[in-house]
Amino acid sequence: SSGFPITYTVPKNDKVFISNDTAYFTKTGKTVISALQEGNSCFYPSETKFRILNVEVGNQQIEDIDDQTLPFSQKWFKIPVASSSGLRLEVESSNISVAEAKGDTLYFKGTGTTVVTLSQPGDINYTPAEDVTFNLTVTKGLQEIYVDVDDTLFYGSNGNLFSAISSSGLPVLAQSMNPEIIELNDGKVTIRKAGVATLKFSQQGNNICEAAEDVYLDNTVLKEKPELYFGPIGVKKYNDIPFIPEVISNGGNKIEISVDDSSIATIEDGKVIIKGCGETFITAFIQGDETREDATARAELKVVKADQQITFSYQSSLKYGDNPNELSATSTSGLAVNFRAGNVEVISINGNTVEIKGAGESYIEASQEGDNNWNPAEPVRREIKIEKADQYISYTIPDTIILS
């Protein structure tokens, strides 16, 4: 009556506890609640009041749930309702070939309808709840096809060109709508020629899955790009023998070879014939067909001047007054050889002719200066010595001499 706050207490128990002015029930049964106002400087303490509190067993309800129609592909269904007591529900399926209950979850086993019963048997604090039932209909599941395919292919690239799976895990059937381009046979892929082929992927479903929607994909098969390249050619010399260049290819039609500059080299019977010095390119070409592209490869051809050697011999000793032989020398290039006298007071040279001028020592040098295709030859010298000529006196003595 003073308006001051009241203190409530209960004996130690496992049924009720009090916080401020609120009693919280934890268990059914009876207990005593006391109420007291301790007073202050103006009021005496109040009389303690006692009341008996009887906590009875509570009622509980399970929330209603509508009938459910779900696809098999969902695989499971978790019960979305609970009891008002918060106690765990018990779930039972009338047809475990359709769905089987584990805890608060129904796992689909097949298609059809089952009656699902939700119950809560209660405990020491709650009475059993009234059962709730609903129909669960599991229909065939939906499925999709997923395809990973290279939509641009090359002739000759047979093998695993695609992978296809269904969301159901059932095998996917692949068919070629253009077997003349891409042929599918027992999972083996064979590319027949270049073109555009449509591939069809399907899954017909079964007792738990509906048929998937067919997937159509266009695949472009391009002509094969042949490999074509030259092996090392190196630097050639003008006097090198004809050679067959190494051309590497992964197959296909005949390889044709040509040279850009015919003044440097020509092709005869597949061989490169060197004609002159300089730089040009050799081209290898394969004519394509319905399955292969044209292919071209080029390699540089560099021809440098050739070396040449002179062969020259001549008599090393003559006498003044002799009639010398004509000079004769040859070069491996076939070019004309020139001669020069070392000491023109002893000999002189006019073309291939040696003219003796006097006694003494000299030399004859043979040289070849080269041309556009030949390097200058190393000069060859031959020493020559002109000996003095013998002389004699011619005279006549008469048979008779008359002194006068």
Side-chain angles (χ1 to χ4, degrees):
S1 61
S2 66
F4 293 135
I6 298 172
T7 300
Y8 300 96
T9 59
V10 293
K12 185 176 182 181
N13 69 94
D14 59 353
K15 302 173 182 64
V16 177
F17 72 89
I18 293 178
S19 176
N20 295 325
D21 61 355
T22 302
Y24 294 91
F25 307 151
T26 57
K27 193 175 182 181
T28 58
K30 293 182 179 181
T31 189
V32 176
I33 298 178
S34 61
L36 172 67
Q37 213 306 305
E38 297 178 349
N40 60 10
S41 60
C42 298
F43 286 92
Y44 288 107
S46 69
E47 178 184 3
T48 301
K49 297 292 184 179
F50 298 95
R51 292 289 183 270
I52 296 174
L53 174 63
N54 184 22
V55 180
E56 296 180 345
V57 176
N59 296 321
Q60 60 173 331
Q61 296 84 34
I62 299 174
E63 299 175 53
D64 287 333
I65 181 173
D66 295 333
D67 291 342
Q68 302 289 319
T69 300
L70 302 171
F72 182 84
S73 54
Q74 184 170 313
K75 297 183 180 180
W76 50 268
F77 175 66
K78 185 178 178 66
I79 301 299
V81 299
S83 66
S84 58
S85 67
L87 296 176
R88 185 174 65 85
L89 294 179
E90 294 183 1
V91 183
E92 182 181 357
S93 171
S94 66
N95 188 348
I96 59 174
S97 65
V98 174
E100 182 179 4
K102 291 183 180 180
D104 62 352
T105 303
L106 292 161
Y107 294 91
F108 303 160
K109 300 297 183 180
T111 57
T113 300
T114 183
V115 177
V116 180
T117 300
L118 306 180
S119 60
Q120 213 312 301
D123 59 9
I124 60 174
N125 297 317
Y126 287 94
T127 59
E130 183 179 352
D131 291 348
V132 171
T133 62
F134 68 94
N135 293 324
L136 171 64
T137 300
V138 179
T139 61
K140 285 187 176 184
L142 302 177
Q143 59 172 329
E144 293 181 334
I145 295 175
Y146 305 99
V147 181
D148 182 13
V149 63
D150 187 352
D151 56 6
T152 301
L153 309 171
F154 288 93
Y155 178 82
S157 58
N158 298 337
N160 296 322
L161 305 180
F162 62 84
S163 62
I165 59 174
S166 67
S167 57
S168 66
L170 297 174
V172 176
L173 175 64
Q175 296 173 280
S176 173
M177 311 307 290
N178 305 95
E180 72 281 3
I181 298 174
I182 297 179
E183 182 181 4
L184 303 178
N185 188 8
D186 294 331
K188 181 181 178 181
V189 178
T190 303
I191 296 179
R192 296 297 184 190
K193 65 177 183 179
V196 177
T198 300
L199 301 184
K200 174 185 176 182
F201 301 90
S202 59
Q203 212 307 305
Q204 299 303 313
N206 59 10
N207 61 320
I208 58 175
C209 287
E210 298 284 359
E213 183 179 355
D214 293 340
V215 175
Y216 293 87
L217 292 176
D218 288 337
N219 294 78
T220 301
V221 178
L222 302 178
K223 291 182 179 182
E224 181 184 7
K225 294 182 177 180
E227 291 184 7
L228 184 66
Y229 56 94
F230 281 93
I233 292 179
V235 177
K236 298 297 183 180
K237 289 187 175 182
Y238 173 72
N239 62 340
D240 282 350
I241 63 174
F243 68 95
I244 299 176
E246 181 185 14
V247 184
I248 296 93
S249 171
N250 62 347
N253 297 327
K254 180 182 177 181
I255 300 175
E256 301 289 342
I257 301 175
S258 62
V259 178
D260 289 1
D261 190 343
S262 60
S263 68
I264 297 175
T266 59
I267 303 296
E268 296 180 15
D269 297 329
K271 294 182 179 181
V272 178
I273 312 297
I274 295 175
K275 298 293 185 179
C277 294
E279 296 181 10
T280 185
F281 280 89
I282 303 176
T283 300
F285 176 73
I286 297 179
Q287 179 70 49
D289 54 26
E290 64 178 4
T291 61
R292 292 178 174 87
E293 298 279 2
D294 295 347
T296 302
R298 287 170 64 80
E300 185 180 16
L301 174 63
K302 183 177 182 179
V303 180
V304 299
K305 291 182 178 183
D307 297 324
Q308 58 174 326
Q309 294 81 39
I310 293 174
T311 301
F312 172 45
S313 63
Y314 194 70
Q315 56 201 110
S316 60
S317 179
L318 291 170
K319 284 185 178 183
Y320 181 80
D322 284 350
N323 185 19
N325 296 326
E326 285 194 354
L327 296 173
S328 177
T330 59
S331 169
T332 53
S333 67
L335 299 175
V337 177
N338 299 316
F339 301 99
R340 182 178 69 86
N343 186 348
V344 296
E345 293 181 356
V346 177
I347 60 172
S348 65
I349 297 174
N350 183 13
N352 293 344
T353 302
V354 177
E355 183 179 348
I356 297 175
K357 296 293 187 178
E361 294 182 354
S362 183
Y363 63 83
I364 302 173
E365 181 180 270
S367 64
Q368 213 308 305
E369 296 179 354
D371 61 7
N372 292 334
N373 297 320
W374 295 93
N375 289 316
E378 184 74 22
V380 177
R381 287 186 177 183
R382 294 290 180 258
E383 301 293 334
I384 185 169
K385 185 176 182 181
I386 306 298
E387 302 284 352
K388 290 182 178 182
D390 296 329
Q391 62 176 326
Y392 62 91
I393 299 174
S394 298
Y395 62 92
T396 302
I397 300 176
D399 292 338
T400 302
I401 298 174
I402 300 174
L403 293 176
S404 59

